[in-house]
Amino acid sequence: MSSALLPGASGPDAQPMMLGVMGGGQLARMFVHAAQAMGYATAVLDPDSGSPAGLVSHLHVHAAYDDAAGLAQLARHCAAITTEFENVPAPSLARLAALRPVAPGAEAVAICQQRAAEKAHFEQCGVRCAPYAVIASEADQSGVDAALFPGLLKTTQLGYDGKGQLAVATSSGLAAAWAQLRRVPCVLEKRLALRHEISVIVARGANGTWVHLPVQQNLHRDGILAVTQVPAPDIEPAVAEQAIEQAARIATSMNYVGALCVEFFVLQDGTLVANEMAPRPHNSGHYSIDACDMSQFELQVRCMAGLPLPQPRQHSAAVMLNLLGDLWFGAGTGQATTPPWQRVLALPGAHLHLYGKAEARPGRKMGHLTITACDAATARRVSLEAAALLGLPSF
C-alpha cells in the first residue's frame, strides 16, 4: 500500500477501481456506501445471498469465508480488501494478502479474535485491563485467584453483544459456568465497579499516520450497545486524551492499517481499563456519518486505499440510538409491525439508517437513529423524545 489507490476511470472503456470487503452485514453496507460515494466500485464476499452489503454492491461473491475459489475471485477483481467483522478467518486474510493489499492485516485481526491474546497485547502495550485468568482446562480452575470473583467468564473466541459470557459470583460456580459454555477456552475477568463505558475509533494508514474520532460515551443494555453520546457528557478531558493515546498506542504496536475501535471502562476512581477492541468500524461510531465531516467508514476507505488522513471534525452534537428487532414487536401482539417512523422523522435532526434486513427478530440489529443538534443538551432532549416514541427506555 505504498501508493494511493485513486478512484475513477482513466479512459472511455475503463472501469472504476474496485474495493473489496469480507462480510456482508450492516458494517460492510455502510463501508460500501462510503466507497461508492468516493467513486470506487465495490465487491462483497458473503455466503448469504440476501446480505445487506451484497444487495447494494457491484459484485457479490457468494462463498464461505474460507472458500478458495471465492477468495481468488475477490482478489481477481479488487485492488484492496478489508473486513467488516473480526471473525473472518485470519488465514483467509493472509491468503488474500499474498495477492492484494489487505487492511487490517491477518496478524492484527488474529489478536482481536482471541480474548486472551487481546488482553496479553494490552498488557504488552502498557495499557491496563481488568485482572483475568485463562481457563482452558479443569486444572486451570483450581489455581484461580479468589480475588477474581465476582467475575465474568467469557469465551476466548466468537463472543459478542453479550453472547458467550456468564456471570460467576464465586469460585464454587466456576465449573458449572465453564460447562455451560461447553468447556471451550475462556477468560475469567474480574467484574469491576464502573462509572462509564467509552470507546475510541482511530484510523491508521500504512505510513503510520493516525487520526481519531471524538471519544464516545456508551450505554449497553443486556450486553448490546443501546445509546452513544458524543461529545461524551461525563468524561473529563484528561481521561479522553488518555483513551485516545492508548488506542493509538495499541494500533501502532500491531502495525495496524485501517479503522480500529477500542472500548474502555472508566472505573469509579476515574481510571481507565481497556475492555476489548474491534478491527473495524464500530456500532458506537455510526453517529459520525451524520455528525462529522468524515465518517468512520470514509476513514476505513482512505486507510485501505492509501489516501490522506486529515483529522476528522465533529460539526454537530449527536446521540445515536441502536434499533433492535424488538421495536417491531412493541405492540405485544407477537406480530411484526412497523415502528412509528413518520413521527420520529418529524423530529429536528433525526437521521434514520435501516440496514436492509428482510426480517426483524428480537435482539437483531436492524438500524440506528442519530439525532444531531447544535449543542449536546438539545441532541439529548430530542433523542429522549425519539426514544419515548419508539418505546425505548430513557437514559
Side-chain angles (χ1 to χ4, degrees):
M1 288 188 163
S2 57
S3 59
L5 303 174
L6 297 173
S10 59
D13 299 320
Q15 298 296 315
M17 183 170 291
M18 183 170 283
L19 301 180
V21 56
M22 294 281 283
Q26 65 265 18
L27 295 175
R29 183 184 178 97
M30 288 180 271
F31 163 81
V32 163
H33 287 324
Q36 291 173 353
M38 296 177 70
Y40 294 99
T42 57
V44 170
L45 187 149
D46 191 284
D48 180 5
S49 61
S51 69
L55 294 173
V56 299
S57 200
H58 296 85
L59 172 65
H60 185 176
V61 179
H62 300 278
Y65 299 122
D66 57 357
D67 180 78
L71 294 171
Q73 182 182 358
L74 188 69
R76 186 165 61 251
H77 287 280
C78 295
I81 298 163
T82 189
T83 181
E84 77 138 0
F85 69 118
E86 55 267 44
N87 291 327
V88 167
S92 295
L93 297 178
R95 184 169 190 160
L96 288 169
L99 303 170
R100 292 288 185 266
V102 173
E107 297 84 358
V109 173
I111 294 171
C112 300
Q113 286 178 341
Q114 220 272 2
R115 288 187 194 274
E118 183 179 70
K119 290 182 178 298
H121 187 76
F122 290 156
E123 293 175 328
Q124 290 168 9
C125 294
V127 174
R128 181 185 173 198
C129 60
Y132 71 97
V134 177
I135 308 296
S137 67
E138 291 186 6
D140 292 332
Q141 299 177 46
S142 60
V144 171
D145 188 342
L148 293 180
F149 299 97
L152 286 172
L153 187 66
K154 303 178 179 181
T155 58
T156 57
Q157 293 182 288
L158 301 179
Y160 64 97
D161 287 342
K163 301 180 179 70
Q165 59 182 262
L166 293 170
V168 185
T170 64
S171 57
S172 61
L174 180 57
W178 190 52
Q180 192 173 338
L181 292 176
R182 302 179 182 273
R183 295 183 171 85
V184 299
C186 290
V187 167
L188 176 66
E189 182 180 296
K190 181 177 177 62
R191 186 186 286 274
L192 302 172
L194 309 183
R195 183 187 296 175
H196 302 293
E197 298 176 72
I198 63 174
S199 58
V200 178
I201 291 169
V202 296
R204 186 176 183 274
N207 63 357
T209 301
W210 65 271
V211 296
H212 63 89
L213 290 175
V215 170
Q216 300 135 186
Q217 185 169 324
N218 304 319
L219 170 66
H220 289 77
R221 298 189 182 112
D222 298 324
I224 302 176
L225 180 67
V227 182
T228 293
Q229 299 180 77
V230 192
D234 303 307
I235 305 304
E236 297 290 335
V239 174
E241 291 175 10
Q242 183 183 6
I244 292 166
E245 187 276 328
Q246 290 187 3
R249 193 192 316 166
I250 291 167
T252 299
S253 67
M254 295 189 292
N255 198 26
Y256 191 90
V257 178
L260 174 75
C261 180
V262 183
E263 295 182 77
F264 294 91
F265 295 142
V266 182
L267 304 186
Q268 290 294 339
D269 63 3
T271 59
L272 278 180
V273 296
N275 176 31
E276 60 187 24
M277 58 182 170
R280 51 170 172 78
H282 190 262
N283 202 162
S284 64
H286 291 348
Y287 76 95
S288 62
I289 298 172
D290 301 302
C292 298
D293 62 3
M294 193 178 306
S295 76
Q296 62 173 343
F297 300 100
E298 181 175 338
L299 290 171
Q300 184 182 24
V301 173
R302 284 173 176 257
C303 287
M304 67 184 297
L307 300 178
L309 288 174
Q311 175 60 41
R313 297 171 297 180
Q314 184 178 3
H315 52 70
S316 302
V319 177
M320 187 213 71
L321 305 178
N322 225 7
L323 305 177
L324 304 183
D326 308 66
L327 291 179
W328 277 252
F329 298 92
T333 63
Q335 300 294 319
T337 58
T338 302
W341 301 134
Q342 289 272 14
R343 299 175 68 190
V344 169
L345 290 173
L347 297 172
H351 308 269
L352 178 63
H353 299 260
L354 296 178
Y355 301 150
K357 296 181 180 180
E359 180 186 4
R361 297 194 298 269
R364 190 182 198 193
K365 292 179 180 178
M366 298 298 293
H368 69 270
L369 177 73
T370 301
I371 302 294
T372 58
C374 59
D375 59 77
T378 303
R380 178 180 172 81
R381 176 180 57 78
V382 177
S383 64
L384 286 170
E385 292 182 45
L389 289 171
L390 293 169
L392 295 172
S394 184
F395 54 91

